[in-house]
Amino acid sequence: LSHTGGGGGGREKNPSMATIVNTTEEEPMLAVVRSTAQLAWADAGPEVADPEVARLCAEAQQHLLAGRWLDMATLMLASADLLLLSPSAPDKGQPAPPLSVSVRSFLNCAALLCAAADLECILTVICNLVTMAGSEDEALEIAKLICAKLTHQPPADKPTLRIKVLFSLYNLLPSLSGKAMVYRKALEVAAAAAGKAAADCVVPTFKNIDAFVAYWGIGKPEQRELFLAITRILKDHKGMTKDYFKFLNKYLATFDGSAGDADAIAAAKEEAAAAIVEFVKSSDLYQCDLLDMPAVAQLEKDDKYQPVYELLKIFLTQRLESYLAFQTANSTLLQGYGLVHEDCITKMRLMSLLDLSGHCSGEIPYSAITKALEINDDVVEYWIVKAISSKILDCKVDQLNQLVIVRYSCPQDFLGPYYSVILSFLVNTCSEM
């Protein structure tokens, strides 16, 4: 994908974007209509096929001369559908269904008759119609027709090719809202395919998602739909757990708890619970804003997810003792979410140490650590080193006086008193300037 946004840094070219090279004297659009019609009627005999091909080409010629690009797009996509009526397209022994019946996709049938490169060429020529439209609205309507064709296919039917064509369409569209719509359709194809190859086509674009959102200028509902689609792709994508948690947070943050969000926020309970589970599972995450999000707060009064919310509160505001009591009463629940008790204890000990550092006056006695972490004196320094290596604590050990001198500790919640202190400091500093 490419865009011209932000700092106006010029338009990047997408190396996978197809380019039309005309190898005949015939107009590419007419060539597509002619070739698809000829393929569709190839087995019908010249007496039947020739008049049909001539009729479609004549109609296409009229649209071309009149500049009726939306009608041309409709005709070209319908001409492609004629492939479905070819006797060679259905399985052997199966009659071709009537036009009014929903049949197998154009991509499935075309694959029997032309190579993937030919199919991509046909679709690229159709996509190029958006550059000829007389207005952005007309280009957007053409794009919607193409997107409907590419998304309403069996999920496993050439998803990578369809995504590639959608990205080409994205780069051709002038409308920012159209670009956002086409990108979401590409995500829809990738999510439905549920395969690594399709996901790999879109995952690299996620690192630029904030720039895309700003460039498109889309509102909260559209952002919400976008982030949710991304989480569905990343959920089962190996090695992407951090990104999955990141986009779950982005999705949940779009809910502000206002009356207008009342219906939509109720549908976010599953994702809110998933974000909590991902936070608890992760051995790299020790701080989050989940408790401050209305989409997560609603779980506190939900019959199904209340225990999950309680678990989050324990990890962010309490200590190991509370977790052990919770685990005793909810061991089946933890197992159901794939949470390993031993891993939870390890993380909870580090979180307890973090909580201790936030409530001390710069010094933590060994005795307080052994009590909070429920460990022996001889492993205190092991847990200190583990906290330092996890980058949640910056401290030094006073072995003589059995003290940990804390220089810095990572806040468990990004918001709250830490922001208040920073804001107060900034206000005072600015007033003195």
Side-chain angles (χ1 to χ4, degrees):
L1 292 177
S2 62
H3 66 82
T4 309
R11 184 181 177 90
E12 298 177 7
K13 296 296 182 183
N14 183 352
S16 66
M17 182 175 172
T19 302
I20 298 171
V21 178
N22 198 1
T23 58
T24 71
E25 294 182 1
E26 189 175 23
E27 161 63 44
M29 289 177 285
L30 296 180
V32 165
V33 173
R34 185 182 304 280
S35 62
T36 54
Q38 287 173 342
L39 286 169
W41 293 97
D43 295 337
E47 309 85 19
V48 177
D50 290 350
E52 288 297 327
V53 173
R55 179 184 64 81
L56 289 167
C57 289
E59 188 176 346
Q61 183 74 42
Q62 291 173 4
H63 294 326
L64 178 65
L65 293 174
R68 295 193 296 263
W69 306 117
L70 183 58
D71 291 336
M72 177 65 87
T74 303
L75 175 63
M76 293 174 77
L77 291 169
S79 296
D81 275 334
L82 287 175
L83 289 170
L84 301 176
L85 297 175
S86 170
S88 59
D91 292 335
K92 226 173 196 182
Q94 296 295 321
L99 186 59
S100 59
V101 178
S102 175
V103 292
R104 290 183 305 168
S105 74
F106 158 56
L107 296 181
N108 270 340
C109 297
L112 299 172
L113 302 168
C114 59
D118 296 327
L119 179 56
E120 182 182 353
C121 180
I122 290 171
L123 294 171
T124 300
V125 171
I126 298 174
C127 288
N128 203 55
L129 283 169
V130 299
T131 66
M132 301 178 180
S135 66
E136 284 194 4
D137 288 342
E138 185 182 18
L140 185 57
E141 289 304 311
I142 294 171
K144 287 179 180 178
L145 287 176
I146 297 169
C147 286
K149 175 64 63 179
L150 293 173
T151 54
H152 295 164
Q153 308 295 332
D157 190 0
K158 290 185 171 51
T160 57
L161 174 61
R162 288 185 282 142
I163 292 169
K164 183 178 180 181
V165 173
L166 284 167
F167 280 175
S168 290
L169 178 60
Y170 175 99
N171 286 325
L172 292 167
L173 268 175
S175 164
L176 296 182
S177 62
K179 287 178 180 289
M181 182 268 293
V182 171
Y183 183 78
R184 288 197 300 271
K185 292 298 182 181
L187 297 185
E188 185 180 318
V189 172
K196 186 178 184 300
D200 285 344
C201 291
V202 296
V203 166
T205 68
F206 295 166
K207 65 179 182 294
N208 298 320
I209 204 67
D210 291 336
F212 288 144
V213 167
Y215 174 58
W216 298 329
I218 58 176
K220 281 290 178 65
E222 292 80 10
Q223 291 180 38
R224 186 176 300 155
E225 182 183 344
L226 176 68
F227 297 146
L228 183 59
I230 292 174
T231 62
R232 287 170 177 167
I233 293 170
L234 293 174
K235 183 177 181 180
D236 300 315
H237 204 66
K238 289 185 178 179
M240 302 296 289
T241 52
K242 278 189 177 180
D243 291 281
Y244 175 51
F245 179 74
K246 169 186 166 184
F247 280 100
L248 278 172
N249 270 265
K250 283 180 173 289
Y251 167 70
L252 297 172
T254 63
F255 299 97
D256 57 15
S258 62
D261 274 348
D263 292 332
I265 199 171
K269 291 179 181 178
E270 183 178 344
E271 284 71 30
I276 293 173
V277 171
E278 288 302 314
F279 173 74
V280 173
K281 272 185 182 179
S282 175
S283 59
D284 300 318
L285 296 170
Y286 295 93
Q287 54 182 177
C288 68
D289 289 337
L290 292 176
L291 276 180
D292 302 291
M293 295 182 180
V296 175
Q298 68 175 329
L299 302 186
E300 186 174 16
K301 298 178 181 179
D302 184 84
D303 292 340
K304 180 179 180 180
Y305 294 117
Q306 187 278 331
V308 183
Y309 180 82
E310 184 182 348
L311 181 64
L312 177 66
K313 285 190 71 174
I314 289 171
F315 268 79
L316 289 177
T317 66
Q318 300 176 39
R319 296 181 183 172
L320 180 62
E321 181 183 11
S322 300
Y323 165 74
L324 292 174
F326 177 89
Q327 191 275 336
T328 300
N330 298 278
S331 59
T332 304
L333 175 92
L334 295 178
Q335 291 172 5
Y337 282 110
L339 295 168
V340 179
H341 179 49
E342 291 75 15
D343 294 341
C344 288
I345 288 179
T346 297
K347 181 163 184 171
M348 198 65 225
R349 279 184 170 140
L350 290 170
M351 297 293 285
S352 298
L353 185 55
L354 193 54
D355 185 62
L356 269 177
S357 67
H359 290 84
C360 74
S361 55
E363 297 181 352
I364 312 175
Y366 276 28
S367 58
I369 295 174
T370 58
K371 182 179 179 181
L373 275 60
E374 299 188 16
I375 55 175
N376 296 324
D377 292 344
D378 58 348
V379 294
V380 167
E381 291 176 15
Y382 165 82
W383 286 99
I384 296 299
V385 171
K386 195 170 182 65
I388 294 171
S389 64
S390 299
K391 299 181 180 178
I392 62 173
L393 204 62
D394 182 12
C395 61
K396 64 179 182 178
V397 176
D398 182 350
Q399 292 179 319
L400 183 63
N401 295 304
Q402 299 279 283
L403 292 172
V404 175
I405 314 300
V406 179
R407 289 189 286 256
Y408 166 80
S409 63
C410 169
Q412 292 164 283
D413 189 340
F414 283 122
L415 301 178
Y418 298 96
Y419 273 3
S420 300
V421 171
I422 294 171
L423 181 61
S424 177
F425 171 77
L426 290 174
V427 169
N428 292 334
T429 301
C430 290
S431 64
E432 294 172 1
M433 292 178 66

